[in-house]
């Protein structure tokens, strides 16, 4: 374009230079990527979007399935339709979705440094701040180093508080054959035990239930539930989350922070008076272990302690409750499995199990494994590529060649679909059959707790807690019957549980 005096205006020239630079940069990136892809023998991966820019067709299909509580089944159907690895878009961001164990292992372990969590902090930040579950890189490594020592066997094997909470749980279960929603009670149980373990102070939600206390907005358990739902909503909205205002979520976050701050204060006082030499001498007295104090020994940073506690509470509470709920949903429909479990548990002669005894209950382990296989409580997950990288399989017509993952792409992986692959688990992969675990020898094909450097730190704690509760219920109740005539339906928020709860009746 010419200006009045016949010369190109400076602004036009500048715009042309910017466009040229942008195009040159784009071409150079494409060229580098294609060279990188050739060097690694990559082949194209099947693209499935009808709308190649935003992937709106896929998004619409996902939203419709989620509304009918069939989102995970849709994911699985897509793998049947398109193969075990395919390419699409999520809000204009390139997305590669896979249920191949080799690919998942590569993302989570072999090429761990090529990926980050993506923008998890945008949804989780208001409640969790920066901690082990939301951070990447150095910050994450230091969180993990700080948190992990608090999960050593001695801490995890402390079964007293599980037993303490069992009393409340048992009192809330009717024995006259009437229906009870065990899921509801399991969520109370795990928030009580998690707050006891983490803060040294249970929020007593089972006791509140027993005494009929009406919980209000200020109640921690309520606020924590709401704050989590808000996170799930924000995650679903993706980049549109910036337009969503939710004052109740802000208030819930504040209630949670206020409560945790009180415990952080106590921990900091403890830190001031903590004397390492004296502690070494007193080692034999074995005071009750407090996670919070374990953290306070390592840092005096108040925000840091609060954030780590919130992160672990979130990572650990619903997960274990969901495992128990899903498993009891299936146990209530499998009288033969319940009886077999009771036979195994009978070896304890009605006594509460020790940690070692729990670990030796093989059939119990099969039941837990099978529940986490069929209904993995973290059923799908994703990572963001922070550099150009490669997945080992999924490319080419047979899906066996490596695949280029350009920097900025998301790799989504579905543990739910992988756990139901018939080529791995056999034609009855959709059935709850704990016996299959007697012969299975698996690696990355089974991944309820994630793998690689970010493997779940609470795995042993969760399995111990879920095992303990199951044993105590099996000792108590000869009869466990389903009171739900419908099929198991997905209740998918941050974790996967049964949408209709776990409606059962129990009897002696
Ligand atoms: C059945 C119960 C549980 C399951 C299935 C489970 C599963 C998982 C999975 C899949 C992840 C990886 C998430 C990701 O990286 O995107 C994870 C991470 C984590 N889990 Fe668990 N979890 C369970 C219980 C617990 C418990 C009881 C605690 C603590 C008390 C806990 C603490 C954590 C923490 C802190 C992380 C973050 C680890 C890191 O990023 O380094 N989990 N868990």
């Amino acid at each position: 374009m010419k200006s009045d005096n016949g010369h190109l205006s400076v602004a036009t020239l500048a715009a042309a230079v910017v466009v040229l630079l942008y195009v040159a940069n784009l071409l150079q990136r494409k060229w580098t990527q294609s060279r990188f892809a050739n060097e690694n023998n990559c082949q194209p991966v099947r693209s499935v979007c009808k709308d190649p820019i935003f992937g709106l067709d896929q998004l619409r299909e996902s939203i419709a399935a989620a509304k009918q509580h069939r989102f995970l089944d849709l994911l699985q159907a897509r793998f049947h339709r398109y193969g075990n690895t395919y390419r699409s878009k999520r809000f204009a961001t390139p997305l590669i979705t896979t249920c191949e164990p080799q690919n998942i292992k590569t993302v989570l372990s072999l090429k761990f440094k090529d990926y980050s969590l993506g923008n998890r902090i945008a949804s989780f930040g208001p409640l969790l701040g920066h901690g082990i579950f939301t951070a990447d890189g150095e910050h994450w490594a230091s969180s993990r180093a700080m948190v992990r020592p608090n999960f050593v066997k001695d801490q995890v094997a402390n079964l007293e508080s599980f037993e303490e909470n069992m009393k409340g749980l048992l009192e809330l279960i009717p024995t006259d054959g009437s229906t009870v929603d065990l899921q509801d009670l399991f969520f109370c149980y795990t928030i009580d035990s998690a707050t006891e373990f983490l803060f040294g102070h249970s929020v007593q939600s089972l006791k509140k239930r027993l005494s009929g206390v009406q919980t209000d907005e200020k109640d921690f358990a309520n606020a924590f539930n709401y704050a989590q739902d808000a996170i799930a909503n924000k995650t679903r909205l993706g980049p549109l989350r910036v337009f969503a205002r939710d004052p109740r979520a802000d208030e819930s976050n504040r209630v949670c922070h206020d409560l945790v701050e009180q415990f952080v204060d106590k921990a900091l006082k403890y830190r001031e008076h903590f004397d390492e030499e004296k502690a070494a001498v007193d080692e034999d007295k074995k005071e009750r272990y407090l996670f919070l104090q374990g953290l306070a020994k390592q840092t005096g940073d108040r925000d840091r302690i609060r954030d780590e506690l919130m992160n672990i509470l979130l990572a650990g509470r619903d997960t274990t409750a969901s495992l128990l709920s899903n498993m009891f949903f299936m146990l209530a429909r499998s009288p033969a499995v319940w009886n077999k479990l009771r036979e195994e548990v009978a070896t304890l002669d009605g006594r509460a199990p020790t940690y070692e005894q729990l670990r030796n209950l093989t059939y119990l382990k099969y039941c837990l494994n099978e529940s986490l296989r069929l209904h993995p409580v973290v059923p799908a997950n994703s990572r963001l590529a922070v550099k150009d990288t490669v997945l080992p399989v999924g490319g080419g017509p047979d899906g066996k060649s490596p695949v280029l993952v350009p920097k900025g792409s998301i790799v989504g992986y579905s543990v739910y679909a992988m756990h139901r692959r018939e080529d791995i688990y056999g034609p009855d992969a959709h059935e709850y059959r704990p016996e299959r675990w007697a012969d299975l020898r698996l690696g990355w094909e089974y991944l309820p707790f994630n793998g690689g450097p970010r493997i779940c730190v609470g795995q042993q704690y969760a399995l111990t807690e879920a095992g303990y509760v199951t044993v105590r219920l099996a000792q108590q109740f000869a009869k466990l019957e389903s009171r739900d005539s419908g099929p198991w339906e997905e209740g998918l928020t941050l974790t996967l549980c049964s949408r209709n709860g776990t409606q059962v009746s129990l009897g002696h």
Side-chain angles (χ1 to χ4, degrees):
M1 185 195 294
K2 297 232 170 152
S3 65
D4 288 342
N5 62 11
H7 292 99
L8 280 174
S9 76
V10 176
T12 313
L13 201 63
V17 170
V18 169
V19 170
L20 263 176
L21 283 176
Y22 176 77
V23 172
N25 192 303
L26 204 70
L27 287 175
Q28 206 236 337
R29 229 173 96 63
K30 287 276 166 217
W31 184 77
T32 318
Q33 274 171 2
S34 115
R35 211 179 53 174
F36 181 71
N38 281 337
E39 279 164 12
N40 288 284
N41 304 318
C42 294
Q43 294 285 327
V45 60
R46 182 165 177 184
S47 169
V48 304
C49 278
K50 291 194 184 103
D51 166 5
I53 299 177
F54 295 108
L56 289 181
D57 53 317
Q58 297 276 307
L59 185 67
R60 264 195 296 272
E61 195 186 30
S62 299
I63 292 172
K67 274 193 187 146
Q68 294 166 13
H69 318 287
R70 290 190 310 98
F71 176 68
L72 294 170
D73 287 337
L74 170 69
L75 275 188
Q76 206 191 353
R78 281 182 183 154
F79 287 118
H80 286 150
R81 240 185 271 162
Y82 309 131
N84 290 338
T85 305
Y86 58 86
R87 184 161 63 88
S88 59
K89 285 278 172 88
R90 184 192 286 172
F91 297 115
T93 305
L95 168 67
I96 296 174
T97 309
T98 189
C99 66
E100 285 289 7
Q102 282 188 68
N103 284 346
I104 301 178
K105 179 180 177 182
T106 302
V107 173
L108 297 180
S109 177
L110 301 178
K111 299 205 169 183
F112 176 73
K113 292 209 165 136
D114 292 359
Y115 295 91
S116 77
L117 292 180
N119 207 7
R120 191 179 279 182
I121 192 77
S123 324
F124 289 69
L127 178 66
L128 300 190
H130 291 269
I132 185 168
F133 197 70
T134 49
D136 273 311
E138 290 293 308
H139 193 112
W140 163 75
S142 76
S143 292
R144 182 131 183 142
M146 192 153 71
V147 160
R148 255 197 77 134
N150 300 303
F151 282 99
V152 296
K153 184 186 152 225
D154 269 12
Q155 271 73 273
V156 170
N158 181 353
L159 306 181
E160 279 160 32
S161 80
F162 294 155
E163 183 62 21
E164 193 53 38
N165 287 321
M166 241 6 256
K167 289 183 198 134
L169 182 70
L170 287 172
E171 276 186 64
L172 284 161
I173 297 178
T175 50
D176 60 356
S178 53
T179 302
V180 61
D181 180 4
L182 278 184
Q183 179 163 288
D184 187 32
L185 298 184
F186 288 148
F187 273 71
C188 293
Y189 183 95
T190 55
I191 196 142
D192 286 357
S193 69
T195 46
E196 175 75 39
F197 176 61
L198 295 171
F199 311 153
H201 174 96
S202 161
V203 294
Q204 309 271 20
S205 59
L206 287 169
K207 278 212 177 110
K208 284 182 188 165
R209 276 290 168 92
L210 275 170
S211 63
V213 170
Q214 285 295 315
T215 53
D216 61 17
E217 218 51 13
K218 297 257 175 310
D219 179 82
F220 179 83
N222 276 347
F224 193 69
N225 285 342
Y226 191 83
Q228 271 196 61
D229 287 347
I231 292 176
N233 287 336
K234 276 195 173 181
T235 309
R236 268 194 290 270
L237 284 172
L240 302 179
R241 72 176 82 82
V242 288
F243 301 111
R245 290 273 164 271
D246 185 347
R248 190 172 158 200
D250 300 339
E251 173 61 11
S252 300
N253 291 338
R254 202 188 51 72
V255 171
C256 294
H257 289 175
D258 284 354
L259 181 113
V260 178
E261 294 277 354
Q262 293 169 29
F263 299 118
V264 176
D265 280 340
K266 279 194 197 157
L268 289 175
K269 283 212 183 78
Y270 165 84
R271 182 182 164 85
E272 275 168 30
H273 301 115
F274 177 71
D275 177 343
E276 268 182 31
E277 279 175 31
K278 190 167 168 299
V281 175
D282 288 353
E283 182 67 355
D284 289 344
K285 287 194 192 158
K286 281 267 174 248
E287 278 197 11
R288 193 166 60 107
Y289 173 81
L290 286 187
F291 194 99
L292 182 66
Q293 293 176 348
L295 282 182
K297 276 186 212 165
Q298 299 181 58
T299 176
D301 181 337
R302 129 186 315 278
D303 290 349
R304 191 73 197 264
I305 299 178
R306 185 198 66 199
D307 287 355
E308 294 301 353
L309 284 171
M310 291 302 264
N311 273 252
I312 298 162
L313 184 62
L314 180 121
R317 182 267 179 136
D318 282 15
T319 40
T320 313
S322 299
L323 161 58
L324 278 165
S325 312
N326 292 330
M327 185 170 75
F328 272 83
F329 188 101
M330 300 314 288
L331 290 177
R333 282 158 193 240
S334 329
V337 175
W338 183 244
N339 289 338
K340 207 162 159 183
L341 195 57
R342 276 179 46 83
E343 272 167 35
E344 184 178 67
V345 163
T347 55
L348 299 167
D349 291 330
R351 283 188 299 273
T354 62
Y355 182 71
E356 304 308 331
Q357 284 169 331
L358 259 187
R359 286 181 70 90
N360 289 331
L361 296 174
T362 314
Y363 195 66
L364 171 69
K365 204 180 324 169
Y366 294 170
C367 291
L368 290 162
N369 283 354
E370 184 67 346
S371 176
L372 286 167
R373 181 189 71 80
L374 199 60
H375 301 124
V377 301
V378 184
N381 210 329
S382 65
R383 296 291 192 254
L384 180 82
V386 292
K387 58 190 282 202
D388 292 339
T389 184
V390 173
L391 292 176
V393 289
D398 60 1
K400 292 196 171 137
S401 300
V403 171
L404 171 74
V405 183
K407 177 181 172 181
S409 310
I410 299 171
V411 177
Y413 56 95
S414 172
V415 171
Y416 180 86
M418 181 170 75
H419 283 182
R420 287 168 179 240
R421 275 178 59 166
E422 293 188 5
D423 56 335
I424 299 174
Y425 290 96
D428 65 352
H430 290 76
E431 284 171 29
Y432 182 77
R433 193 172 64 80
E435 284 70 17
R436 77 175 77 242
W437 287 91
D439 309 316
L440 282 173
R441 302 285 170 271
L442 296 170
W444 285 79
E445 298 85 353
Y446 179 65
L447 213 60
F449 292 100
N450 227 35
R454 289 196 91 128
I455 193 168
C456 173
V457 286
Q459 176 169 350
Q460 281 319 317
Y461 181 89
L463 292 175
T464 307
E465 179 172 26
Y468 193 91
V469 172
T470 307
V471 166
R472 293 309 259 161
L473 289 176
Q475 285 173 325
Q476 197 74 25
F477 299 107
K479 280 198 210 113
L480 167 67
E481 286 170 11
S482 173
R483 286 282 180 268
D484 186 342
S485 54
W488 184 94
E489 278 188 319
E490 73 181 29
L492 190 54
T493 50
L494 287 182
T495 56
L496 176 64
C497 59
S498 150
R499 189 171 89 87
N500 197 28
T502 307
Q503 314 289 342
V504 300
S505 90
L506 292 131
H508 298 300

